[in-house]
């Protein structure tokens, strides 16, 4: 077994001077693929690991060392943001708004595309990725997952990308709401706005690029102890060379759409 230091090139025969010149010439992503046989640089692709910030709820134990539960390269020097409840006896957390962002795949697959499903909240200019239920399955599996999220997070609206099965999914959700089949954390029926978000002519890279200033500025936070965090960061920071990009689409849709529509909070019925 050959053991090499982290970041070392595969052959072990090239000089450090040559490798530094090649990294400059190729760029970090191409260098990682050619010299280290990994698709993205250790620090991330388009989105860097060090750009993310983390938050925690005030009634759960904080884990002080981020490195114990997440990938290397995440800057742990920034304090964790703590979110408090609104009042003593309420289940509501102190956010201005909450959305469930759904990027539905074209069809049910066992190994291909997934349905990107994220819960995103906002407080002022801060954004919080609260949950990730990205999954495979058919349209009924998506509805089932979103129903559970509604009962847990009491969202203000649902965002659905207007492509593939998105239009059919939006219609089914509206019918579910009208029939009182989707309920909030208090067990009462919810009546939410369903926004069909048209991605337009812009590609995935362009839509994510428009979110980069927010992420790089440190205003986008991830739930610190979420069991889904590693998969989320692996996909988003590995983009565009990672295997999947469904979380990327759901994330960029939520950040871009709510940047335009977060000046008010929709009432809950």
């Amino acid at each position: 077994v050959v053991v090499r230091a982290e970041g070392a090139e595969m052959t072990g025969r090239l000089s450090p001077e040559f490798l530094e010149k090649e990294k400059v010439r190729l760029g970090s992503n191409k260098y990682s693929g050619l010299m280290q046989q990994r698709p993205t640089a250790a620090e991330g692709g388009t989105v860097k690991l060090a750009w993310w910030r983390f938050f925690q709820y005030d009634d759960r134990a904080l884990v002080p060392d981020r490195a114990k539960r997440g990938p290397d390269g995440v800057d742990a020097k920034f304090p964790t943001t703590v979110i408090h409840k609104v009042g003593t006896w309420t289940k509501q957390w102190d956010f201005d708004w909450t959305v469930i962002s759904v990027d539905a795949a074209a069809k049910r697959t066992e190994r291909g595309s997934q349905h990107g499903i994220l819960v995103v909240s906002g407080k002022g200019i801060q954004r919080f990725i609260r949950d990730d239920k990205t999954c495979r399955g058919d349209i009924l599996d998506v509805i089932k997952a979103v129903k559970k999220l509604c009962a847990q997070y009491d969202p203000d609206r649902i965002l659905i990308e207007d492509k593939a099965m998105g239009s059919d999914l939006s219609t089914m959700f509206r019918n579910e709401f009208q029939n009182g089949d989707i309920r909030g954390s208090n067990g009462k029926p919810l009546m939410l706005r369903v926004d069909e978000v048209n991605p337009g002519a812009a590609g995935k890279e362009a839509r994510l690029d428009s979110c980069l200033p927010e992420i790089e500025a440190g205003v986008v936070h991830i739930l610190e102890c979420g069991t889904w965090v590693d998969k989320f960061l692996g996909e988003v920071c590995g983009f565009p060379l990672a295997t999947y990009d469904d979380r990327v689409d759901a994330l960029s849709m939520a950040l871009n759409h709510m940047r335009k529509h977060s000046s008010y909070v929709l009432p809950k019925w």
Side-chain angles (χ1 to χ4, degrees):
V1 177
V2 178
V3 179
R4 298 184 178 88
E6 177 68 23
E9 53 90 17
M10 294 293 291
T11 68
R13 300 176 180 176
L14 303 177
S15 69
E17 294 78 11
F18 174 80
L19 293 174
E20 282 300 319
K21 292 180 180 179
E22 286 297 280
K23 190 169 186 178
V24 172
R25 183 178 70 87
L26 296 170
S28 58
N29 283 337
K30 289 184 179 179
Y31 177 88
S32 296
L34 186 62
M35 298 296 184
Q36 299 170 328
Q37 298 298 294
R38 60 190 298 173
T40 56
E43 64 270 21
T46 302
V47 179
K48 307 303 181 186
L49 282 170
W51 292 352
W52 297 98
R53 301 296 177 263
F54 296 88
F55 79 98
Q56 187 55 270
Y57 301 113
D58 66 355
D59 69 341
R60 299 181 183 179
L62 298 180
V63 183
D65 185 3
R66 170 64 198 164
K68 292 181 180 178
R69 60 195 183 285
D72 294 334
V74 176
D75 196 337
K77 71 180 180 180
F78 295 96
T80 298
T81 299
V82 179
I83 302 298
H84 302 276
K85 285 185 177 180
V86 181
T88 305
W89 304 105
T90 180
K91 295 182 179 180
Q92 298 295 321
W93 295 97
D94 189 18
F95 295 108
D96 294 336
W97 51 264
T98 296
V99 300
I100 299 175
S101 182
V102 181
D103 171 50
K107 59 182 179 180
R108 180 188 179 103
T109 60
E110 298 300 329
R111 301 184 62 181
S113 296
Q114 307 172 104
H115 304 291
I117 306 174
L118 300 179
V119 179
V120 182
S121 293
K123 178 69 175 178
I125 66 170
Q126 306 294 319
R127 303 292 182 254
F128 301 87
I129 315 301
R130 300 175 65 187
D131 209 341
D132 177 1
K133 294 301 183 186
T134 298
C135 64
R136 291 190 176 88
D138 58 27
I139 195 169
L140 297 179
D141 294 314
V142 177
I143 292 176
K144 182 179 179 180
V146 172
K147 278 185 174 182
K148 289 183 177 179
L149 292 175
C150 285
Q152 183 175 356
Y153 293 102
D154 293 315
D156 299 293
R157 66 173 81 188
I158 296 175
L159 310 180
I160 299 177
E161 189 167 87
D162 188 17
K163 67 172 188 178
M165 67 169 65
S167 180
D168 293 337
L169 190 59
S170 298
T171 300
M172 294 180 72
F173 272 125
R174 293 189 179 101
N175 291 336
E176 293 277 337
F177 284 128
Q178 291 174 1
N179 294 333
D181 293 332
I182 298 182
R183 298 175 180 270
S185 60
N186 59 5
K188 296 181 180 180
L190 290 176
M191 181 60 74
L192 306 180
R193 175 170 172 171
V194 179
D195 288 357
E196 295 182 39
V197 181
N198 188 337
K204 297 174 184 289
E205 292 86 351
R207 298 198 297 272
L208 181 62
D209 283 349
S210 62
C211 304
L212 294 184
E214 292 171 278
I215 302 174
E216 187 171 4
V219 301
V220 182
H221 302 69
I222 305 172
L223 181 61
E224 191 169 48
C225 298
T227 57
W228 45 267
V229 168
D230 286 349
K231 287 185 178 181
F232 175 86
L233 289 176
E235 180 176 313
V236 176
C237 294
F239 182 82
L241 300 177
T243 304
Y244 303 109
D245 55 23
D246 311 282
R247 293 175 175 88
V248 173
D249 285 340
L251 174 66
S252 61
M253 178 168 61
L255 295 181
N256 288 328
H257 190 73
M258 295 312 295
R259 191 184 308 118
K260 305 173 184 177
H261 300 280
S262 61
S263 58
Y264 61 93
V265 179
L266 293 173
K268 293 184 175 66
W269 294 71

